[in-house]
């Protein structure tokens, strides 16, 4: 069976798997390293000045809630995600934080948004583009629904670079490949972004690059590893025993202070031509 990116088919997953995704997205969304990368491009977009923001592939609403919490942001956010179940989680989490009036979450496909042209001051795709069948369709939809002169923010992992240190490097490389197959559809898409933005006729304003590496002990990567252990068998990328053995080994390395885990991340900020 060919492996499938579980994040691309979130409208078809069972409740257990969605629970794993929800826990992973929320843990990642609380981590200072992740919030730092998000904050840099939101600042670069001038998000606080936006009256209307669209967050596509919003998942549990991590980005929408982060924007709504910014003291200077007074606008309204629309979050759209393929998974009705993740949308329910986003609504519940938004309500629990008292942000429900500021954010409207609804289900939809970012490759064909049922939204009017030029409806938003700013639009965001945060770790979405690596998961969709047609990344260019998403970029063109973002360019369509943002107002002329409005800002587009695209952030994602360069998942072709994800890697974890293991006792046996050959098996380690095979597991890196299994992780890529299980959690992304387009592992190299962030390398294509300068051309893709030009093809969509939007102007690149800035980009930021990051190596999210942890050496010695796993912190950011720990919930990720725990999610990979469950997701790899669900995705058909490894057997349950292979995934558990790998996760136990890399987490043991963390306990012993000899962990290595890394992935590159990039953000791009672009502007729709006036
Ligand atoms: C890795 S998660 C990112 C979620 C959120 N942006 C975050 O960073 O916490 C990818 C999200 O994209 C959603 N997704 C996948 N394909 C989609 C599509 N075609 N249209 C809208 N959302 C999609 C998934 O349901 C999932 O919630």
């Amino acid at each position: 069976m060919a492996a499938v990116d579980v994040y691309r088919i979130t409208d078809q997953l069972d409740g257990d798997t969605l629970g794993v995704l929800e826990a992973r997205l929320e843990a990642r969304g609380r981590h200072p390293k992740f919030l730092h990368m998000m904050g840099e491009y939101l600042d670069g977009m001038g998000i606080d000045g936006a009256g209307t923001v669209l967050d596509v592939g919003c998942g549990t609403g991590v980005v929408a809630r982060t924007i709504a919490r910014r003291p200077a942001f007074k606008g309204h956010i629309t979050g759209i995600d393929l998974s009705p179940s993740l949308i329910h989680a986003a609504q519940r989490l938004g309500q629990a934080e008292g942000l429900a009036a500021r954010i409207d979450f609804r289900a939809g496909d970012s490759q064909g948004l049922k939204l009017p042209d030029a409806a938003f001051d700013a639009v965001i795709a945060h770790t979405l583009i690596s998961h969709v069948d047609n990344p260019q369709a998403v970029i063109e939809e973002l360019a369509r629904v943002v107002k002329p002169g409005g800002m587009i923010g695209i952030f994602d992992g360069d998942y072709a670079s994800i890697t974890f240190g293991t006792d046996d490097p050959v098996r380690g490389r095979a597991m890196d490949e299994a992780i890529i197959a299980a959690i992304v559809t387009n592992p190299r898409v962030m390398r294509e972004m300068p051309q893709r933005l030009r093809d969509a006729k939007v102007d690149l304003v800035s980009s930021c690059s990051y190596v999210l590496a942890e050496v010695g002990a796993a912190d950011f990567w720990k919930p990720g590893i725990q999610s990979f252990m469950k997701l790899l068998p669900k995705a058909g990328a490894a057997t349950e025993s292979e995934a558990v053995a790998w996760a136990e080994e890399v987490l043991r390395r963390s306990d012993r202070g000899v962990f290595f885990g890394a992935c590159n991340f990039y953000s791009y900020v672009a502007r729709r031509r006036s």
Side-chain angles (χ1 to χ4, degrees):
M1 184 180 81
V4 58
D5 168 14
V6 288
Y7 287 97
R8 179 167 48 82
I9 54 160
T10 49
D11 54 343
Q12 300 165 42
L13 298 174
D14 60 69
D16 279 358
T17 311
L18 285 162
V20 173
L21 300 193
E22 186 181 327
R24 167 63 183 141
L25 295 176
E26 285 299 303
R28 190 175 76 162
R30 280 190 294 272
H31 200 280
K33 288 182 181 171
F34 202 67
L35 288 168
H36 168 73
M37 297 189 291
M38 195 191 298
E40 281 203 329
Y41 82 81
L42 293 177
D43 287 344
M45 294 173 75
I47 204 75
D48 290 335
T52 49
V53 177
L54 175 68
D55 173 21
V56 289
C58 63
T60 56
V62 161
V63 178
R65 280 182 279 128
T66 301
I67 296 170
R69 269 187 235 120
R70 288 168 71 104
F73 179 79
K74 304 290 175 225
H76 184 271
I77 306 154
T78 301
I80 290 190
D81 198 274
L82 188 64
S83 160
S85 170
L86 290 175
I87 285 296
H88 285 139
Q91 287 165 337
R92 176 173 40 79
L93 291 160
Q95 231 151 34
E97 264 192 68
L99 300 171
R102 317 262 320 272
I103 318 173
D104 172 27
F105 289 112
R106 52 183 121 126
D109 187 341
S110 59
Q111 297 164 111
L113 291 166
K114 293 186 172 55
L115 291 168
D117 296 353
F120 297 91
D121 295 318
V123 293
I124 291 166
H126 189 93
T127 68
L128 165 71
I129 211 91
S130 65
H131 299 292
V132 294
D133 281 323
N134 188 345
Q136 198 62 24
V138 174
I139 298 167
E140 282 170 17
E141 280 295 79
L142 293 178
R144 179 181 69 77
V145 301
V146 75
K147 293 177 185 169
M151 301 301 258
I152 302 168
I154 299 177
F155 173 88
D156 219 314
D158 175 51
Y159 287 103
S161 67
I162 197 168
T163 189
F164 295 91
T166 51
D167 299 341
D168 172 356
V170 174
R171 203 166 47 83
R173 181 168 179 188
M175 288 305 288
D176 289 345
E177 293 297 334
I179 292 164
I180 293 166
I183 62 153
V184 271
T185 299
N186 311 301
R188 301 169 76 88
V189 70
M190 293 312 270
R191 305 174 191 192
E192 301 161 6
M193 206 51 70
Q195 184 67 53
R196 286 186 176 278
L197 292 171
R198 179 165 296 181
D199 292 347
K201 299 184 174 52
V202 296
D203 294 323
L204 177 62
V205 174
S206 62
S207 68
C208 293
S209 53
Y210 308 89
V211 183
L212 212 163
E214 288 180 326
V215 174
D219 181 39
F220 174 84
W221 286 116
K222 199 168 185 175
I225 291 159
Q226 284 158 344
S227 77
F228 300 157
M229 177 172 73
K230 295 184 183 141
L231 296 177
L232 263 61
K234 300 268 186 197
T239 65
E240 198 174 326
S241 59
E242 284 168 336
V244 169
W246 171 84
E248 286 179 351
E249 182 189 328
V250 292
L251 292 175
R252 255 196 322 272
R253 289 170 77 94
S254 175
D255 292 341
R256 287 174 25 235
V258 295
F259 175 83
F260 180 94
C263 183
N264 300 337
F265 286 82
Y266 295 91
S267 63
Y268 290 86
V269 172
R271 186 185 284 113
R272 179 173 168 181
R273 292 175 195 157
S274 298

